[in-house]
Every structure is written in C-alpha cells, then in structure tokens.
C-alpha cells in the first residue's frame, strides 16, 4: 500500500504529473467570480463561502481522470489488479493520493483566496475545517466516478455528469458549515453531517469502486 | 505444485471464443500456446491471470500464484528504471531487484527515466518485473515483441532460470525461445456455435 | 409450480408480454381518460386556487412515477447483480427514459402551477430541488448506458451506479431539506397536498394515478421488448461475424 501511495505521489509531483493544476484552476475561478457578479464587497462577502467551496469542488473534479486513466492506458491497472493488494485497498490508496495532491493544497490555499473575496474573520477557521473534512469525500466519490468511466475513450465529460450529482450532499453540508461560520452562526450540526458523510463514503464507496473497476478490467 | 486447467471456456466481449481447454503443467515446465490471430490466446491468458472470469471450467491455482505480462508493460515514463522496478517489487512484498536488473542487463540503465528508453529496453524492463513479483506461474502474452535477438536470449535464460527454480510458465508466442516446452495448439478448441439452447443466457441467440 | 424467474427467460418474457400488453395498454388509456376527464371537467374549482388546482391530476401522478421508476430500476439492478437475468437489466435500462420523462413532467407541471400560485416559475423549495437532482441522476444513468458498448459490462456498471446513486439521492434529499431550512427559517411554500385534498378531488386523482402506473408499465414493457429485440439482433450479428 505504501509503495503504491509513494509511487502515485511521486508521479504527481514529477513533470507532467499535473500537480498544482487544480490549485491554479481554483485561483482562476475565484478571480473570475468578481468579474461575473461585480466588485461590490458586501455581495462578495456574502457569497464567498459558497464560491470557495464550489471552486474547490470543480478543481477536484478536473483532476479526477488522472486517478485511474493513466494507469489504465499503460497497462499498470491490470498489473495492480493481479498484485497481492486487494483492489479495494488499491482504489482507497489512489483516492488518498488524489486527496494529498489535490484536496490538501486546496484546503491550504482556501484562506488566501478567502481574502480576495472578503471572507469575514470568523469564517476562515470554519472554511478550512469544512474543506479539510469534506474534500476527502470528494476524492473518494471521484475515484468511484473515475472507476466507472475508466474504459471509455472520451469519458471525461460523462464522468462529470456522473460525479456532480453525487457531490450534492457534500457541497450542501460543506458550504453550509462555511456559510454559518462566516455569518457567526453555529456550524456544528452541518459539520457533524459532513463528517458523517465523509466517513461513510470512505468506508463504503471503495467497495463499489473496486467492483466497478473489476468489471471494467475484464 | 501443479497447474491444472479443466474444461475451460472463455469469452471475449460476451462472445465465446475458446471452450473445452484442458491442460496440466507441473513445476519446472513451460507451455507454449499457439494459434492464429484472434483465436483467443490473450483472453485465455487473462482468464488464467484472474483478470476475467471464465465462462465455465476450473483453474486449479489461485490468481495469487500468477504473474501476468502482456503488450502493455505498465511502465511509468517519469520514474526511473529502478523506481519502476522497486515499486512492483514492494507491491509484491519483495525488496531485491538486483537479480531482475541483472537478468535483463538493465544495470547500466537503472538511473535513467523509463520514458527515455527504447521500445526494446522498455520491454526488458516490463519482463524484469516478472522476476520481482516472486510468483510461481508466469503468464506471458507475446513477451518477445520488440526484443532483438540478443534480448530474446536473455529472456529465454530468465525463463529457464525460473523453471529451474520450480516455477512454471504459460507463454503465447510464435518464435522459438530456446526453451524446452510443450506446445498447445489452440485451434481445436475454437468455440463452435451451438443450436439455440433453451436456457437464460442462450435465449438471446 | 411456475417460478417468477421463468419470466427472466427472454423468450418466455416476449411471449407473455405479447399477450398481456394489449390489455394493459387499453387499461392505461381508459384509466387516464377517465381520471383526467373526471378531474378536469367534473370537479369543482378550489375556492382558493381556482381552476389551476386541476393540474394536480398530471402533477402528482407524474411525480409519484418519477420516484417509483427509480425504485423499479433499483430492484431490477439488484436482481441483475444477484441473479444475472438479462431481462432484468434491460428492464432497468428501459425504465430510465420513462422515469426521466415523468420527472420532467412533474417539474414542468409544477412550474406551470407555481407561476399563478406563488408568482414564480421556480423556487428552490426542497421538494422541487430534489426532483431536479433526481433528474440529473436519470441523465447520468442513461448516459452511462449509452456510452458502453458491451451489454453485460454496461449492465454491471449501471447497476452499481443505480445502487450508489440511490443512496446519494436519499442523502441529497435530506441535505436539501436541511439546506433550505437553513436559508429561510421554515419553508413557506409547502407542497404537501395530501392533507388538504378533499374527497371530490381525491377519487379522480386515484384513477389518474392508476392510469399513470399502467402507462408506465406499458411503456416499460414495450421498451424492454425493444431492448430484447435489439439485443438479439446484436447477438445474431456477433454470431455471423464469428462464423
């Protein structure tokens, strides 16, 4: 498991691995929003938590096809499937690697981008916390989407169509935590919901991902 | 240890291609599969490796005993030769990659990025992976593609070494590897279309 | 004794539906005509909502079938995963566009009803939003079926998607409920009709619902038959290529 994790991390950081692309995308989305809705500070403050969550979600989505598609193309996936590591563990590790290389940088960058959108003071802690708890679910759900579409030549668009509806609960609870936090309300209830959601997906979804991947490999 | 395959039937894309395949292989022996293109060699090998379920029949050994190598080597261009090999070794719970590097004369290339290798060198790296899996049955699909004569010799030696250690190999190939091996001609096992049978799966036909 | 699984045999299924389908379709038309005519022309106007209330005879049955179609797909997917009957997978595939259409009808009639009642075509009411999300799930499910060439692979993948999707659709339903209450304390636009529907409206509504159920069954059976035929055709072509 460690070997697979290290390899995926190493590949992501080396040239052409796409590390940082998600981060750049996140930045651009946040920069574009004021152009769309106007520079009014009060409005930006109000929509900042939602925009930041949406931007993080889209940045996550963009990098999903790298989780499995590259290993599929060069045949590694076949060989990983025949290795002693259970496929369930393999997809979990790959989701973890995706989170470490995409989700975690997004969490770290969110406060800086929050400044751009005039996120109010108390919001930062809850924004970071909600992203830290919510983005693992995005990676795990995304791995499921990637496993579903791995055999398809132009699966990227289809994967978005499949994955985005699955992101709805995470987005709702995550953005709600950040919004309540920013407005000084009590964000504990949605935070617990978000945590439960993340734990549930991490515990159960790898089985579905592995099952789907097995079907696609045969 | 013995690999026994009984009455195996395999399908490609839902269409049966081979049926009634039976074979028996004991430790230290190799089997060469032959047959025209499209007969189902790859499908049979993937079934042996446990990558797809058979339509019917039985394979005596668990997929955990099989090391599979096919057209795609699973090599990462941005990792060095050594890193590639070490990854596969660790994934199979092993550490030693020196023997694999030695067998395919990859020692001098160990530090090079795999992306900068020639096709033949990549193939050698892909085959070296077999050694670091530590598995007893090698399931090989056209292993000598893009290897030059000399490298084919190294490969033959690697297979002989593997067999001498009590291992087995099932190889689909058209060239002579310099290995003593039984030959299984697959043409007689081509699936014949049957009259429409009245059960669930056949009723679509 | 005949087992229910006999109908999982495509040929048995074709023969049976061939006999049953005319009756079901006639019954569907009858129930729909009776229910809708009764509802549209022989019920009094609501004292508050006027004649606009009559769209209920399209809206409620369509909304019911939108959810039930997904449930049917879920059951059919489970049957495919557990027992691997091809007809079951094909029935799930056949039901998806029908369910999606029902969802669309429910959304459209809801908007038409909402305009005079609430003064807006669309509100992010939990129920409306849930249906929109359900529609997205239908879209994804159908797109996945369409994208994969191999029938068995497609059946396997869509079945798992249906399962996972069901869980997430439920989660979304609760999340949306939570989300909206979070926005406006206590939703003011309640869509709960069952409580305040009087008997005069109730009976024609029941007939209309029965009509929609029968219509759904008719369409799904018809489409499943088409899928089976298409599947046979592909099998024949594959066999010809092999020979």
């Amino acid at each position: 498991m460690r070997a697979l994790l290290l390899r995926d991390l190493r590949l992501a950081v080396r040239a052409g691995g796409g590390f940082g692309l998600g981060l750049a995308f996140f930045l651009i989305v946040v920069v574009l929003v004021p152009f769309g809705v106007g520079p009014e500070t009060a409005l930006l403050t109000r929509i900042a938590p939602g925009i930041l969550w949406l931007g993080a979600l889209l940045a996550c989505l963009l990098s999903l096809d790298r989780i499995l598609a590259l290993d599929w193309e060069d045949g590694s996936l076949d060989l990983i499937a025949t290795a002693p590591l259970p496929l369930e563990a393999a997809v979990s590790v790959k989701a973890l690697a995706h989170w470490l290389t995409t989700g975690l940088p997004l969490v770290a960058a969110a406060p800086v981008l929050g400044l751009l959108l005039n996120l109010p003071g108390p919001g930062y802690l809850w924004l970071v916390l909600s992203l830290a708890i919510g983005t693992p679910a995005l990676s795990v759900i995304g791995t499921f989407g990637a496993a579903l579409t791995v055999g398809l030549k132009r699966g990227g668009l289809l994967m978005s169509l499949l994955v985005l509806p699955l992101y709805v609960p995470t987005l709702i609870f995550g953005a709600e935590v950040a919004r309540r936090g920013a407005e000084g309300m009590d964000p504990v209830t949605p935070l617990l919901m978000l945590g439960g959601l993340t734990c549930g997906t991490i515990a159960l979804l790898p089985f579905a991902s592995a099952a789907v991947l097995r079907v696609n490999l045969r | 240890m013995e690999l026994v395959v009984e009455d195996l039937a395999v399908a490609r894309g839902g269409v049966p291609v081979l049926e009634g395949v039976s074979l028996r292989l004991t430790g230290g022996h190799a089997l060469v599969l032959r047959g025209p293109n499209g007969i189902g060699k790859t499908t049979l090998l993937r079934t042996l490796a446990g990558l797809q379920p058979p339509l019917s029949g039985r394979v005596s050994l668990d997929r955990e005993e099989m090391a599979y190598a096919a057209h795609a080597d699973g090599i990462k261009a941005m990792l060095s030769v050594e890193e590639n090999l070490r990854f596969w070794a660790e994934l199979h719970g092993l550490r030693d990659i020196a023997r694999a590097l030695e067998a395919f004369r990859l020692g001098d290339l160990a530090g090079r990025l795999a992306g900068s290798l020639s096709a033949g060198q990549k193939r050698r790296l892909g085959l070296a992976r077999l050694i670091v899996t530590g598995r007893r049955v090698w399931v090989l699909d056209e292993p000598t593609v893009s290897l030059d004569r000399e490298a084919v010799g190294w490969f033959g030696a690697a297979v002989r070494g593997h067999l001498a250690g009590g291992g087995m190999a099932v190889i689909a190939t058209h060239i002579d590897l310099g290995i003593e091996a039984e030959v299984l001609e697959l043409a007689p096992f081509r699936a014949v279309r049957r009259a429409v049978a009245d059960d669930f799966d056949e009723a679509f036909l | 004794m005949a087992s229910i699984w006999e109908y999982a045999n495509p040929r048995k299924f074709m023969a049976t539906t061939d006999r049953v389908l005319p009756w079901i379709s006639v019954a569907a038309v009858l129930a729909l005509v009776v229910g809708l005519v009764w509802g549209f022309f022989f019920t009094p106007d609501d004292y508050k909502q006027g004649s606009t209330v009559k769209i209920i005879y399209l809206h409620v049955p369509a909304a019911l079938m939108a959810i039930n179609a997904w449930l049917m797909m879920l059951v059919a997917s489970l049957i495919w995963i557990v027992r691997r009957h091809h007809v079951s997978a094909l029935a799930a595939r056949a039901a998806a566009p029908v369910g999606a259409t029902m969802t669309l009808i429910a959304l459209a009639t809801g908007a038409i009803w909402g305009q005079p009642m609430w003064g807006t075509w669309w509100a992010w009411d939990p129920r409306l939003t849930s249906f929109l999300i359900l529609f997205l799930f239908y879209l994804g499910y159908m797109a996945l079926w369409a994208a994969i060439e191999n029938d068995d692979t497609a059946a396997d993948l869509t079945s798992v998607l249906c399962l996972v999707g069901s869980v997430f659709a439920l989660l979304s339903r609760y999340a949306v409920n939570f989300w909206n209450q979070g926005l406006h304390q206590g939703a003011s636009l309640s869509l709960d009709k069952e409580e305040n529907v009087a008997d005069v409206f109730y009976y024609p509504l029941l007939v209309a619902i029965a009509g929609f159920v029968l219509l759904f069954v008719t369409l799904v059976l018809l489409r499943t038959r088409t899928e089976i035929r298409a599947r046979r055709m592909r099998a024949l072509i594959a066999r010809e290529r092999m020979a």
Side-chain angles (χ1 to χ4, degrees):
Chain A
M1 278 177 96
R2 208 177 60 97
L4 184 58
L5 181 65
L6 286 178
R7 181 192 78 139
D8 273 18
L9 292 180
R10 202 174 273 160
L11 282 172
V13 194
R14 296 243 164 122
F19 180 75
L21 277 183
L23 215 52
F25 179 83
F26 191 24
L27 173 69
I28 289 175
V29 168
V30 170
V31 168
L32 286 184
V33 166
F35 298 141
V37 302
E40 197 190 325
T41 315
L43 177 65
L44 288 178
T45 301
R46 227 170 82 75
I47 62 174
I51 296 299
L52 289 168
W53 248 93
L54 206 55
L57 183 145
L58 291 176
C60 220
L61 182 78
L62 262 186
S63 50
L64 287 181
D65 60 339
R66 307 192 73 90
I67 300 181
L68 296 170
L70 297 177
D71 280 345
W72 165 271
E73 277 160 21
D74 64 18
S76 309
L77 215 47
D78 275 344
L79 304 177
I80 290 172
T82 59
L85 190 65
L87 209 49
E88 284 81 3
V91 292
S92 303
V93 168
K94 286 197 149 287
L96 176 62
H98 177 259
W99 183 70
L100 287 176
T101 54
T102 310
L104 205 55
L106 292 178
V107 176
V112 181
L113 299 181
L115 284 176
L116 288 179
L117 293 179
N118 272 58
L119 188 72
Y124 287 94
L125 170 67
W126 296 109
L127 174 72
V128 170
L129 204 59
S130 68
L131 280 173
I133 295 177
T135 44
L138 298 184
S139 288
V140 174
I141 297 170
T143 307
F144 173 65
L148 268 178
T149 54
V150 73
L152 299 171
K153 289 214 173 55
R154 278 174 296 277
L157 205 57
L158 176 64
M159 186 175 61
S160 309
L161 181 60
L162 297 177
V163 165
L164 283 177
L166 301 178
Y167 275 176
V168 168
T170 311
L171 175 63
I172 287 180
F173 289 126
E176 187 73 9
V177 173
R179 196 185 60 79
R180 287 191 181 191
E183 291 178 6
M185 287 155 40
D186 180 21
V188 170
T189 317
L191 192 68
L192 290 178
M193 298 278 211
L194 185 66
L197 198 63
T198 301
C199 292
T201 48
I202 291 176
L204 297 175
L205 218 47
F207 293 98
S209 308
V212 159
L213 202 52
R214 270 191 202 104
V215 171
N216 266 329
L217 282 176
R218 77 180 179 219
Chain B
M1 192 159 101
E2 198 177 41
L3 171 66
V4 184
V5 172
E6 280 171 7
D7 202 22
L8 197 69
V10 297
R12 180 179 55 222
V15 182
V17 286
L18 289 170
E19 59 188 14
V21 179
S22 297
L23 56 91
R24 181 178 288 267
L25 198 61
T26 49
H29 292 275
L31 180 73
V32 168
L33 302 178
R34 283 193 210 279
N37 287 335
I39 186 80
K41 294 188 291 287
T42 298
T43 312
L44 178 61
L45 291 173
R46 286 180 68 86
T47 308
L48 288 181
L51 280 166
Q52 64 176 69
L55 270 184
S56 62
R58 203 176 68 85
V59 180
S60 69
L61 288 181
D62 193 72
R63 48 183 289 180
E64 297 276 302
E65 305 281 354
M66 314 281 186
Y68 175 70
H71 312 283
D73 289 315
I75 291 171
K76 288 296 173 192
M78 291 314 293
L79 296 181
S80 73
V81 169
E82 191 189 337
E83 283 169 330
N84 266 302
L85 216 47
R86 198 168 290 284
F87 162 66
W88 291 112
E90 283 175 17
L91 197 60
H92 288 82
L94 300 176
R95 303 235 137 249
D96 176 35
I97 62 166
R99 205 160 58 86
L101 287 173
E102 166 64 22
F104 287 92
R105 310 295 190 276
L106 289 165
D108 295 338
L109 302 171
R112 284 257 297 273
L113 282 187
S116 67
L117 298 181
S118 74
Q121 290 168 328
K122 276 184 188 158
R123 195 79 251 238
R124 271 150 61 193
L125 173 54
L127 293 171
R129 182 186 57 85
L130 291 167
I131 295 176
V132 301
T133 59
R135 295 213 164 154
R136 274 192 286 181
V137 187
W138 287 4
V139 180
L140 310 178
D141 194 355
E142 300 287 358
T144 53
V145 173
S146 67
L147 289 186
D148 58 21
R149 190 185 298 269
E150 196 183 18
V152 170
W154 298 334
F155 169 65
V159 174
R160 278 194 301 276
H162 177 62
L163 297 180
M168 292 175 252
V170 182
I171 309 170
T173 184
H174 288 276
I175 67 163
D176 183 27
L177 298 170
I179 310 166
E180 255 186 62
E182 291 171 55
V183 174
L184 182 68
E185 183 60 51
L186 285 177
F189 299 108
R190 191 196 290 271
V192 287
R193 55 196 184 106
R194 256 170 268 120
V196 173
D198 195 3
D199 66 358
F200 289 162
D201 291 332
E202 285 286 319
F204 279 112
L205 295 173
Chain C
M1 212 193 85
S3 142
I4 187 172
W5 301 116
E6 268 185 29
Y7 297 97
N9 179 321
R11 251 181 308 147
K12 174 90 177 164
F13 178 87
M14 290 300 268
T16 313
T17 49
D18 195 39
R19 267 183 286 118
V20 176
L21 205 50
W23 299 101
I24 300 184
S25 40
V26 168
V29 171
L30 270 180
L32 276 177
V33 169
V34 170
L36 294 182
V37 169
W38 185 359
F40 285 155
F41 301 111
F42 300 97
T43 54
D45 286 353
D46 187 80
Y47 75 99
K48 224 165 47 188
Q49 308 196 15
S51 60
T52 44
V53 73
K54 292 183 173 177
I55 204 166
I56 197 176
Y57 300 108
L58 286 174
H59 181 71
V60 172
L64 266 178
M65 289 324 293
I67 296 170
N68 287 345
W70 187 274
L71 283 181
M72 182 236 132
M73 282 157 55
L74 176 61
V75 172
S77 298
L78 280 172
I79 293 176
W80 162 253
I81 291 176
V82 176
R83 297 194 57 127
R84 305 200 80 72
H85 294 316
H86 289 92
V87 173
S88 183
L90 294 180
R93 176 181 192 170
V98 184
T101 311
M102 291 291 180
T103 316
L104 217 52
I105 293 176
L107 284 170
T109 52
I112 294 169
W113 193 5
Q115 218 291 321
M117 287 304 102
W118 308 333
T120 170
W121 294 100
W122 181 261
W124 289 94
D125 172 88
R127 225 177 251 217
L128 272 71
T129 314
S130 305
F131 266 79
L132 200 55
I133 297 171
L134 181 63
F135 184 63
L136 293 180
F137 275 108
Y138 273 120
L139 282 188
Y141 180 86
M142 289 189 289
L144 189 60
W145 261 113
I148 300 165
E149 270 170 51
N150 185 301
D151 287 310
D152 282 0
T153 307
D156 281 330
L157 297 185
T158 52
S159 296
V160 178
L161 177 67
C162 185
L163 241 76
V164 173
S166 303
V167 175
F168 275 85
L170 261 176
L171 283 173
S172 304
R173 177 91 179 88
Y174 287 109
V176 162
N177 263 337
F178 180 84
W179 160 76
N180 192 300
Q181 277 169 15
L183 277 180
H184 343 241
Q185 298 299 324
S188 48
L189 305 177
S190 167
L191 271 176
D192 272 318
K193 282 149 256 92
E194 272 85 82
E195 299 146 19
N196 44 29
V197 167
D199 279 1
V200 261
F201 302 117
Y202 188 63
Y203 291 112
L205 184 58
L206 276 191
V207 179
I209 289 175
F212 265 77
V213 172
L214 288 167
L215 175 69
F216 174 75
V217 173
T218 308
L219 289 176
V220 170
L221 287 182
L222 255 178
R223 290 183 51 84
T224 310
R225 286 168 62 82
T226 312
E227 294 287 351
I228 289 177
R229 290 202 172 108
R231 177 84 190 243
R232 275 187 180 158
M233 200 176 69
R234 282 197 292 277
L236 281 175
I237 291 171
R239 162 184 288 207
E240 228 162 55
R241 230 183 264 142
M242 236 170 66

